Amino acid sequence: MRTHNITKGFVIAAVGLLLTACQDQLEETNTNPNEAIKAQPEYLLANAIKSNADLTLGSDASMETTTLFIQHWAKIQYTDPDKYTVSISNVQNVWTNLYSQGLTDFATIIKLGEESGNTNYQAVGLILKSWSFQLLTDLYGNIPYSQALQLNETLTPKYDAQKDVYIGLLNDLKKATELINTNGSPISGDLVYNGNLTKWKKFANSLRLRIALRIADKEPEISKAVVAELAKDKSALIASNDEIAQLVYLASPNQNPVSRDRETRDDYRVSKSIIDKLQELKDPRLAVFANKTVDATPTGYIGVTNGLPADSAAKLGFTKTSKLGDYFTAAASPAVFVSYSEVLFNLAEAAQRGFITENAADLYKAAVTASLQQFKVGNADIAAYLAQPSVTYDAANYKKSIGEQKWLALFSQGLEAFAEWRRLDYPQLKPAYAGVLNGKLPVRLTYPTGEQALNAANYKAAVAAQGEDRLTTKLWFDAF
C-alpha cells in the first residue's frame, strides 16, 4: 500500500490523548502494523504499466482522438470527435493521467531503486518515465519536463522546448541501459517482460531509435550518431516478435479497455481510409483488422468515412459496416508499446538516409514481413503480398513506402501512428468529411484548460514559443 490510513476509532481516541500523550506515543499509536509504511516498487510498477497501457490502447488519448485522427477507426454514432471537436475533458484526462499517475509512479520507482541499491528498478522506472514523456511531447509539443514532478520545488513548472525534451530522453534512455544489471537484483511487478532485464534493455534501445528518427529532419547529426551507435549491435534492439514491448491483458477478468468498451457501446467502426487501402493492396491483414459486415455486401468489408454528420453516419447501418476485428476486441488482445516491425521500419529509414550502411529495401521487406507475422499471416500469403509492385519498396519516395506500410503496421496504436504520419506525411489522408478545422487535419492536442488556469505564465510562454494553442499548430519535429 502506498499510504496508511487512520481509522475512525483511532481519530476519536486521539482527541482524548492530545492533552496527555507525548508526540512519540502518538506516532507509535498511528502505525498500522498490517500496512506497508513505504511504497513497494513491484506494486507501483504493475499499476503504472497497466495505466499507461490502458491510455495508449483505449483511453481518450487514442479512442476519441488519435485513432480517429489517423483514420484507423471512425465513428458511426456520436461523431463529434471524428469531426475534430475534441472534448475538454478528453484533453485534460490524457495530460492528467500521464503526469499524475504514470509519471509520478515511475519517478517513485526510480527513487526506491536508488535508495535500495537495486539499479534495475531504477532503470526500468527511467525507461517507462522516458516513454511517458515521449508520448506527452509527441501529443502536445513543449511540455513541463526538467521541472516536472518536483512538487517540493515548484507547483508551476516551466515548459521545455520539444527539442530539449527529445534530447533529454535520448540521454535518459542511454543511462537506463547502463544501469541495467542482468546479474543484479531481480524486479517484480513486471507485466511486460516478467523480469527479463535483457529485454528491458532492448526496449530502451528501441525507444532511443524511435526518438532518433523522430528528430531526424531537424537534428540529422544527432539522429545519425544515435542510430549508428545502436546499429553496431542489432541484437541490443527488439529483434523478433517474441520481444515486442507490450502488455498482454488477461482473458479473465476482462481489463482490456477496448474489449470492455465494446461490451456496452457500438459507436466505432473501421475507417473507410484503411479498408480501402487494404483492399487496394490485397492485404491479408484486412481480415484481422476488420470484421465482415453482418449484412452481405459485395466485398464483405465496408468502412465508414471519417467525420460524417451523425444522421449520415447512422444511415449507413450498423449491420452494413465493418466493426473492429476480433483480434483487437478480444479480452487478451495486447497493448503494444514498441513492435519489432517498427524497429525494422526505423532501421530501413536510417539506411535510406545514409545513417547506416545496410540495404534499406531489405530492411523494409523484413519490416513488412514482421508485421504480417505479428498478425499471424501465413508464409504463402506473405510471399504473394511482397511480390506485388504496389508493395515493393520505392527508394525514390521512401517516405511513401515506409509511411504507408508503417500506418498499416501500427493499426490501433493511435498515438504512435499519429506521430509517424505527421513526420513522414504518408499516407496522404483527406480531412474529415464534416471536419471543423477548415479543411485541415489535427497535428497535435491542445493544452488542457487546467494548465491555463494553474500554470498561466508558463503556459503563455510555451504558446508564444510554439505557436497558437490550436489543433492545427505544427510541432517542432513535424518539419514538412
Side-chain angles (χ1 to χ4, degrees):
M1 300 289 292
R2 293 184 346 191
T3 59
H4 58 280
N5 299 320
I6 304 174
T7 65
K8 289 183 179 179
F10 174 75
V11 173
I12 295 171
V15 173
L17 290 170
L18 284 173
L19 299 177
T20 58
C22 69
Q23 183 65 29
D24 289 344
Q25 290 173 318
L26 276 173
E27 289 177 354
E28 183 177 347
T29 305
N30 194 26
T31 300
N32 184 342
N34 298 316
E35 292 187 342
I37 296 174
K38 195 171 185 179
Q40 302 299 303
E42 61 266 33
Y43 299 131
L44 292 178
L45 182 59
N47 181 70
I49 287 172
K50 183 180 179 300
S51 174
N52 265 32
D54 289 351
L55 184 134
T56 58
L57 179 65
S59 74
D60 303 330
S62 59
M63 289 174 67
E64 291 287 275
T65 55
T66 57
T67 307
L68 300 175
F69 296 170
I70 201 61
Q71 297 180 18
H72 282 169
W73 300 5
K75 299 209 71 172
I76 199 167
Q77 280 185 309
Y78 320 119
T79 60
D80 279 354
D82 210 3
K83 295 183 287 186
Y84 315 138
T85 302
V86 179
S87 86
I88 293 173
S89 63
N90 284 353
V91 172
Q92 182 72 56
N93 289 343
V94 174
W95 182 279
T96 301
N97 287 345
L98 281 169
Y99 271 113
S100 68
Q101 187 165 355
L103 278 167
T104 300
D105 284 348
F106 297 141
T108 303
I109 292 165
I110 294 168
K111 183 179 179 182
L112 293 172
E114 292 172 343
E115 292 173 350
S116 67
N118 188 337
T119 60
N120 290 324
Y121 272 124
Q122 189 181 348
V124 168
L126 189 55
I127 293 165
L128 292 167
K129 178 184 171 187
S130 300
W131 174 48
S132 298
F133 273 124
Q134 177 237 307
L135 297 176
L136 278 162
T137 193
D138 285 351
L139 286 170
Y140 296 96
N142 296 355
I143 56 167
Y145 171 62
S146 60
Q147 293 182 354
L149 312 176
Q150 299 177 7
L151 297 182
N152 292 332
E153 286 77 28
T154 180
L155 295 176
T156 56
K158 72 172 184 178
Y159 285 59
D160 293 89
Q162 187 172 62
K163 171 186 173 180
D164 296 334
V165 176
Y166 284 134
I167 292 174
L169 297 180
L170 288 172
N171 294 332
D172 284 347
L173 287 165
K174 184 173 184 179
K175 177 183 177 182
T177 63
E178 294 167 350
L179 286 169
I180 289 175
N181 181 356
T182 55
N183 296 315
S185 300
I187 62 171
S188 299
D190 176 8
L191 304 181
V192 180
Y193 288 129
N194 195 30
N196 188 317
L197 293 162
T198 299
K199 290 183 179 179
W200 273 103
K201 184 176 285 191
K202 290 170 177 274
F203 182 15
N205 283 327
S206 299
L207 280 176
R208 285 184 74 207
L209 179 63
R210 171 190 284 180
I211 295 169
L213 268 295
R214 191 80 92 239
I215 67 173
D217 287 330
K218 299 301 290 282
E219 294 291 337
E221 293 307 313
I222 295 175
S223 178
K224 181 178 181 179
V226 172
V227 172
E229 175 196 336
L230 293 170
K232 290 177 182 177
D233 180 12
K234 292 191 182 56
S235 67
L237 297 164
I238 291 171
S240 74
N241 282 327
D242 293 333
E243 296 178 347
I244 291 174
Q246 61 185 2
L247 170 61
V248 179
Y249 288 89
L250 297 175
S252 179
N254 186 0
Q255 295 184 324
N256 182 302
V258 174
S259 180
R260 293 183 66 177
D261 183 82
R262 297 302 84 206
E263 290 176 354
T264 57
R265 297 177 60 175
D266 193 27
D267 51 328
Y268 288 100
R269 291 294 184 271
V270 182
S271 170
K272 184 177 186 298
S273 297
I274 201 160
I275 284 185
D276 286 355
K277 177 57 70 174
L278 291 164
Q279 290 176 327
E280 173 193 331
L281 297 177
K282 300 179 178 63
D283 196 310
R285 287 170 291 190
L286 175 60
V288 181
F289 293 178
N291 283 343
K292 289 185 176 181
T293 59
V294 175
D295 288 355
T297 59
T299 65
Y301 298 95
I302 299 293
V304 171
T305 299
N306 287 89
L308 291 174
D311 57 344
S312 299
K315 289 176 182 176
L316 293 175
F318 285 88
T319 61
K320 296 180 180 180
T321 48
S322 290
K323 295 183 181 182
L324 194 65
D326 292 345
Y327 176 95
F328 296 97
T329 58
S333 182
V336 177
F337 308 153
V338 180
S339 68
Y340 177 43
S341 63
E342 181 195 333
V343 170
L344 290 168
F345 278 123
N346 287 337
L347 289 172
E349 182 181 343
Q352 185 62 53
R353 287 176 177 268
F355 292 176
I356 56 178
T357 59
E358 294 181 63
N359 186 280
D362 289 345
L363 287 163
Y364 164 85
K365 185 176 179 179
V368 176
T369 300
S371 176
L372 292 165
Q373 290 174 337
Q374 180 184 344
F375 295 112
K376 312 304 181 187
V377 175
N379 290 336
D381 288 334
I382 292 174
Y385 184 71
L386 292 171
Q388 298 180 101
S390 56
V391 177
T392 301
Y393 182 68
D394 181 4
N397 194 356
Y398 73 91
K399 287 192 173 184
K400 180 178 187 295
S401 290
I402 293 174
E404 290 186 350
Q405 281 295 330
K406 196 179 241 187
W407 177 65
L408 297 174
L410 292 171
F411 183 74
S412 267
Q413 288 179 248
L415 276 70
E416 184 59 23
F418 183 46
E420 286 298 88
W421 166 75
R422 286 174 287 166
R423 188 178 68 83
L424 294 168
D425 297 310
Y426 283 96
Q428 295 184 334
L429 302 175
K430 294 181 180 179
Y433 180 84
V436 298
L437 299 179
N438 296 318
K440 295 182 179 180
L441 291 102
V443 290
R444 66 183 290 263
L445 291 186
T446 55
Y447 293 118
T449 55
E451 282 295 290
Q452 301 174 36
L454 301 175
N455 195 9
N458 289 311
Y459 162 79
K460 290 177 181 177
V463 171
Q466 181 167 272
E468 290 184 281
D469 190 11
R470 298 179 181 275
L471 292 172
T472 53
T473 296
K474 294 180 73 170
L475 302 182
W476 172 81
F477 82 87
D478 187 4
F480 302 110

